[in-house]
Amino acid sequence: MTTTDGTVQGRTQIFGSAPPNRAFSVVLLGDGFTAAQQTDFETVCKEFVDALIATPPYDELAPAINIWRVNVTSTDSGADDPASAPGGTGATARTYFDSTFGGNGIRRLLVCNNSTVLQTAAAQVPEFSVAIVVVNSTVYGGSGGSVGTYSLAAGATEIALHEIGHTAYGLADEYPYYAGGNETGHDHHPAGEPGEPNVTLNTNRTTLKWGWAVAAATALPTMSNPDCATVDNRASTVAAGTVGCFEGAHYYHCGAFRPEHNCKMRELSIPFCRVCRQVIWNRIGPLATLPARDRTPISVVARYPEHLDVFAVASDGRTMSDWWDQSSGWAGWFQLSGGFASPGGTGSPITSVARYSGHLDLFVVGTDNRVYSSWWDRSSGWAPWFRVGSLVARPGSTVNVVSRYSDHLDLFTTASDGRTMSTWWDARTGWAADWFQIGGGVAANGASVTAVARHPFHLDVFTVGTDNRVYSAWWDDRTGWSAWFPLPGISCRPDSTVTAVARHPDHLDLFTTASDGKIMSTWWDARGGWASWFQIAGGVASAGSPVTAVVRYTNHMDLFVVGTDNRVYSTWWHDTTGWAAWFNVSGGLAKPGSQIAALSRVTEHLDVFSVGTDGLVQSTWWDGTGGWAAGWFRLAIS
Amino acid sequence: MTSPEQTPSTQAVRLIFEYEGESVTLVAQQPVDTVVSGFDAHPDVSPGHFVEARDEDGHGLARVAARGAFQESAEVFPEDHSEPITRVDVAARGAFTVLLPAPPEATEVAVVRVDRAGSGAQPFGGATSPPPGAVSDVDLATFRLQR
């Protein structure tokens, strides 16, 4: 009963088209299938594929999953079934991986030679993520560990799905017993927080490892075991799908908690709970490119010159991020604390600011049209989303943020009735009492409120009013908020964005699009006041596409926009040469009306991001030494 | 200036180990052209077993969890899925594999057991004792990487 009892025939990819070096790769190996029974193995493999891909969240992760079949012929059919295990028939079978029921005297414990399995899988599919052996027997059985095994008995596929949870993602068992519930010594979980992401000893809402998934109204703990001498077998006292802390997990009746009342990591044939689904997402999702909402702006921050953090909203509304570091490349897309963004208008974007190099603050309007924030800190990682004030924002509105100095944030957005609203956070006093209306202003439907701080104690804000004119207001530490005043000369689309940059403290440049799509600019200078609006180099934007401006020097600006032919265009202004002609950036195309995100990590470098015509987030760059890159690449993992 | 797309993928290595108790041997290693996502390449520091790539001076370069390794119990699944899954004690014997990022300066790999401080023989409370909840590393074995 060794590898002399069979032959490896070879591999066949039976599902997926992900790049092999950026895929979650499952390898199915057959044992106890004779040469004449290989079609039986192939049928079973198809059934596994159907079961896996139908199981959430795998159904949504399919683009990053490859499944391979490794055909192995065995001399005999079946597996050993020793009579020493109650129920065993005493049958023996000469098979390649030496599969046998009756492990530890328990017939259902189906084991094989793991080392041979792993070496065979590595030889056939070097990049494999998990290896599963399908044993040709209708006796029910399976096992887990570094290799999953299951038989052909009805329902045994569920064993593989549960075991992949352990092997690929480090998920814990959520059942509250070791030997079925009648054992001793498993009343109370010992001290020490488990390392697995789906069990905990901690019910503190603010530090709970899955706190992001717990609704504010859900009690913690959600269910407590009234008798720790036994398993709590009561039905759930809360609605199905409620995420909280349910006592009884990780082999103990009390002291350890699971996220939902039930989960595939607790009971076979049950769906994965919300937390386990998110863990699976975080393992496989980063391997894939990101289908994004077509017109939702992308946000990008360079906390330091060798690092980028990119924020985008997935086509299904998930709040997503990817980061690049010069030392390690792109990390891959992951969902930020389980968040979803409001789908109204062009879709609420995630906006971001780095008050210092080890910290990020994020803002978004959620699906309930409330404003939410999260932060990342180098010392503590990502915080759960929390609500900022009581404001009900316009669906899909943008929350613009300015950090006038490192201990202060000012936020700007529009209320559901269009009022131009603001609030602030200060390190000394925390969040302001609530949002307030700026100068009695009301914005046009779809317009955002943009802001720039020319000084640490001064703000200039801009929007499009209900008469489609551009308006401005300012705040100064000495005088407070001014009234809104118009900047006449153009009529805008109602959803136009007014982009403002301050090249130096006494100067502002504004960019927007007129109702006919013309790309317009004006400026303000402390000495001369406001200039008239003018069209930039004859440019016309795709309807709704905002103008992005980057200041690389005080005397140089770069602009980006999507043109009427959906090409990505750029121009620049230099004080000695004026405005250049618009040119297509690296052959790029973007979604109609979408935004181009751009930033300069260092003065002679630009990184540019957009949603391509295929709906995927893409990027290119310009460098002073080599000019523009030859093309665009899709953001994923590198 | 390095541009984002130009950053080369880090080379990974497939390692297959066999173990009995905590005696572990490296039975196979091969370079693999694949990414190791942040999920695996940046594991939380928590008790368990890990495999670590190290440079010539023994400095850790990358660490991944050794899932399914050194197991002392096995799951037994019920044919009726509404019945409880149970566990039985088994001898810690078998094999496991990892895909480990292996940057060019990596020369060896270590199989590391991370203990919760105080879970071993050393009691808490001494002036130099680690605080409860802290973790400590124990090397079970080190192996040269074939480069």
Side-chain angles (χ1 to χ4, degrees):
Chain A
M1 295 187 184
T2 67
T3 54
T4 61
D5 293 326
T7 308
V8 178
Q9 300 294 307
R11 69 178 195 176
T12 304
Q13 186 167 358
I14 56 174
F15 179 84
S17 56
N21 61 356
R22 287 168 174 75
F24 181 76
S25 299
V26 180
V27 175
L28 299 167
L29 306 101
D31 198 32
F33 292 89
T34 64
Q37 294 173 321
Q38 292 303 302
T39 53
D40 296 342
F41 172 59
E42 292 163 14
T43 299
V44 173
C45 290
K46 288 176 186 165
E47 291 170 357
F48 173 86
V49 170
D50 293 343
L52 182 82
I53 299 303
T55 301
Y58 294 110
D59 53 344
E60 297 179 283
L61 293 165
I65 297 173
N66 290 338
I67 304 178
W68 298 81
R69 182 186 76 218
V70 174
N71 285 77
V72 180
T73 61
S74 289
T75 303
D76 294 333
S77 176
D80 292 350
D81 189 12
S84 55
T89 63
T92 60
R94 292 169 294 170
T95 70
Y96 192 82
F97 296 120
D98 228 1
S99 294
T100 179
F101 292 94
N104 256 48
I106 300 169
R107 194 186 188 202
R108 283 173 286 147
L109 190 52
L110 173 61
V111 295
C112 60
N113 186 325
N114 285 359
S115 185
T116 303
V117 172
L118 294 174
Q119 292 180 65
T120 303
Q124 294 294 316
V125 187
E127 71 277 10
F128 80 90
S129 307
V130 289
I132 298 165
V133 175
V134 185
V135 177
N136 185 22
S137 171
T138 56
V139 175
Y140 187 88
S143 65
S146 58
V147 172
T149 67
Y150 74 97
S151 70
L152 306 187
T157 309
E158 281 289 312
I159 295 174
L161 298 181
H162 175 98
E163 288 302 334
I164 291 174
H166 293 310
T167 309
Y169 321 114
L171 295 173
D173 287 316
E174 294 184 16
Y175 43 85
Y177 36 72
Y178 189 80
N182 297 319
E183 67 280 306
T184 58
H186 283 259
D187 292 356
H188 289 276
H189 196 286
E193 175 67 13
E196 296 93 335
N198 61 325
V199 290
T200 188
L201 310 190
N202 174 30
T203 59
N204 183 320
R205 190 180 299 273
T206 57
T207 55
L208 177 62
K209 61 176 82 167
W210 57 77
W212 56 266
V214 180
T218 301
L220 295 181
T222 313
M223 282 185 71
S224 297
N225 185 354
D227 180 8
C228 293
T230 186
V231 171
D232 183 357
N233 284 319
R234 292 176 298 161
S236 179
T237 57
V238 294
T242 299
V243 178
C245 288
F246 296 80
E247 190 165 34
H250 207 221
Y251 318 125
Y252 288 87
H253 311 157
C254 284
F257 298 83
R258 58 191 192 275
E260 287 189 30
H261 189 265
N262 215 347
C263 173
K264 196 178 293 294
M265 297 312 293
R266 180 174 183 264
E267 181 179 334
L268 301 184
S269 295
I270 297 293
F272 284 109
C273 70
R274 177 74 185 86
V275 171
C276 289
R277 292 200 306 272
Q278 187 63 49
V279 171
I280 295 169
W281 254 107
N282 288 345
R283 165 63 178 84
I284 299 177
L287 299 169
T289 52
L290 182 69
R293 276 186 174 154
D294 290 354
R295 294 183 58 203
T296 303
I298 295 166
S299 172
V300 58
V301 174
R303 293 188 282 112
Y304 48 92
E306 299 82 18
H307 191 94
L308 291 167
D309 291 284
V310 181
F311 304 96
V313 175
S315 55
D316 60 2
R318 286 174 295 121
T319 53
M320 306 293 290
S321 180
D322 195 354
W323 52 266
W324 173 85
D325 196 276
Q326 191 164 297
S327 64
S328 56
W330 288 100
W333 292 102
F334 63 97
Q335 189 177 9
L336 292 161
S337 298
F340 282 82
S342 170
T346 59
S348 176
I350 304 163
T351 48
S352 57
V353 65
R355 292 187 286 115
Y356 46 92
S357 65
H359 192 92
L360 289 164
D361 291 286
L362 305 187
F363 302 92
V364 73
V365 175
T367 51
D368 57 358
N369 297 322
R370 306 282 187 160
V371 176
Y372 287 85
S373 178
S374 178
W375 74 82
W376 174 87
D377 194 274
R378 182 174 285 144
S379 63
S380 56
W382 285 105
W385 291 101
F386 65 93
R387 211 166 81 182
V388 179
S390 62
L391 179 70
V392 178
R394 188 171 258 166
S397 57
T398 299
V399 182
N400 280 309
V401 55
V402 172
S403 179
R404 294 187 280 116
Y405 49 93
S406 62
D407 285 345
H408 192 92
L409 295 168
D410 291 286
L411 306 189
F412 304 92
T413 193
T414 50
S416 56
D417 56 3
R419 286 175 296 140
T420 53
M421 307 296 288
S422 178
T423 191
W424 75 84
W425 172 89
D426 195 276
R428 294 164 300 175
T429 56
W431 285 99
D434 210 342
W435 294 81
F436 63 93
Q437 187 179 12
I438 301 170
V442 178
N445 191 15
S448 58
V449 182
T450 52
V452 64
R454 294 186 284 116
H455 308 278
F457 300 103
H458 188 93
L459 288 164
D460 293 285
V461 296
F462 305 91
T463 195
V464 176
T466 52
D467 58 0
N468 296 338
R469 292 196 294 175
V470 174
Y471 283 80
S472 179
W474 74 80
W475 171 88
D476 195 276
D477 189 40
R478 295 162 297 181
T479 57
W481 282 101
S482 75
W484 289 96
F485 61 94
L487 300 175
I490 60 169
S491 177
C492 296
R493 284 169 54 99
D495 60 354
S496 289
T497 299
V498 183
T499 302
V501 292
R503 291 187 283 116
H504 50 82
D506 288 338
H507 192 93
L508 290 167
D509 290 285
L510 303 192
F511 305 94
T512 191
T513 48
S515 55
D516 57 3
K518 288 178 180 172
I519 300 167
M520 306 295 288
S521 179
T522 186
W523 74 82
W524 172 88
D525 195 275
R527 290 164 297 182
W530 285 101
S532 299
W533 290 96
F534 64 96
Q535 187 181 9
I536 298 175
V540 180
S542 170
S545 177
V547 184
T548 301
V550 177
V551 176
R552 289 194 289 119
Y553 308 96
T554 57
N555 61 344
H556 188 98
M557 293 183 290
D558 295 280
L559 301 190
F560 300 90
V561 73
V562 179
T564 52
D565 56 0
N566 300 329
R567 295 178 189 274
V568 179
Y569 284 95
S570 179
T571 184
W572 72 84
W573 174 87
H574 202 84
D575 61 351
T576 57
T577 56
W579 287 102
W582 292 93
F583 64 95
N584 179 215
V585 176
S586 300
L589 290 162
K591 284 286 186 181
S594 64
Q595 165 255 22
I596 309 298
L599 95 167
S600 178
R601 294 184 280 124
V602 291
T603 52
E604 291 301 318
H605 193 93
L606 288 163
D607 292 289
V608 183
F609 304 85
S610 70
V611 178
T613 50
D614 57 3
L616 302 176
V617 177
Q618 59 182 10
S619 179
T620 191
W621 71 88
W622 172 87
D623 197 89
T625 56
W628 284 100
W632 295 68
F633 66 96
R634 293 166 177 161
L635 254 67
I637 191 171
S638 62
Chain B
M1 173 56 61
T2 303
S3 296
E5 193 192 29
Q6 294 171 324
T7 304
S9 297
T10 302
Q11 181 68 57
V13 60
R14 159 82 62 194
L15 303 167
I16 300 174
F17 300 91
E18 291 180 352
Y19 64 93
E20 183 158 3
E22 284 199 332
S23 173
V24 59
T25 55
L26 176 62
V27 296
Q29 58 175 301
Q30 66 182 107
V32 180
D33 174 23
T34 191
V35 298
V36 179
S37 77
F39 182 92
D40 288 321
H42 306 288
D44 292 337
V45 179
S46 58
H49 290 89
F50 298 84
V51 180
E52 184 174 271
R54 293 176 177 169
D55 66 13
E56 197 64 55
D57 297 324
H59 296 130
L61 301 171
R63 175 181 280 202
V64 296
R67 300 195 186 101
F70 305 103
Q71 290 202 332
E72 295 178 327
S73 66
E75 286 184 294
V76 180
F77 295 95
E79 197 159 356
D80 175 354
H81 292 174
S82 65
E83 295 293 312
I85 303 169
T86 59
R87 294 198 80 94
V88 293
D89 295 341
V90 296
R93 182 190 309 123
F96 65 94
T97 187
V98 295
L99 271 171
L100 180 68
E105 58 270 36
T107 59
E108 68 173 30
V109 294
V111 179
V112 181
R113 187 186 71 223
V114 176
D115 291 333
R116 193 179 306 283
S119 62
Q122 293 183 332
F124 289 135
T128 59
S129 296
V135 294
S136 59
D137 292 1
V138 177
D139 281 4
L140 300 183
T142 57
F143 305 95
R144 296 294 295 181
L145 271 178
Q146 297 167 358
R147 305 312 298 262

